[in-house]
Amino acid sequence: MDNPFKKLNEPPKEVPIELKKKVMDDVASFKFFMDMGSLFSFNYAQTVEAFFKKKKENN
């Protein structure tokens, strides 16, 4: 069995373009879904808090 730590000094290999494109597309779609999720659901508490702070300032 080869020692994997001996391979750490080897230079990195180039990733195939197809694989790099797929990974970048997956990252972009994950970021899109995170942004959409934060837009519609994750920020309810902040929205309600901001609403009541503005209402308090107006009174």
Side-chain angles (χ1 to χ4, degrees):
M1 184 170 171
D2 292 336
N3 185 354
F5 292 104
K6 289 184 178 181
K7 294 182 180 180
L8 289 177
N9 290 334
E10 293 179 12
K13 297 178 182 171
E14 186 64 31
V15 178
I17 295 173
E18 299 84 22
L19 182 61
K20 191 182 291 188
K21 182 179 178 344
K22 180 175 179 352
V23 169
M24 293 308 290
D25 288 345
D26 290 346
V27 168
S29 39
F30 181 72
K31 184 179 180 326
F32 172 74
F33 285 119
M34 273 185 32
D35 290 343
M36 294 301 289
S38 68
L39 186 63
F40 289 107
S41 64
F42 296 144
N43 292 332
Y44 280 143
Q46 292 175 352
T47 304
V48 170
E49 183 180 342
F51 172 75
F52 285 116
K53 280 184 180 180
K54 286 181 182 178
K55 191 171 184 180
K56 202 182 252 188
E57 290 172 2
N58 289 338
N59 288 339

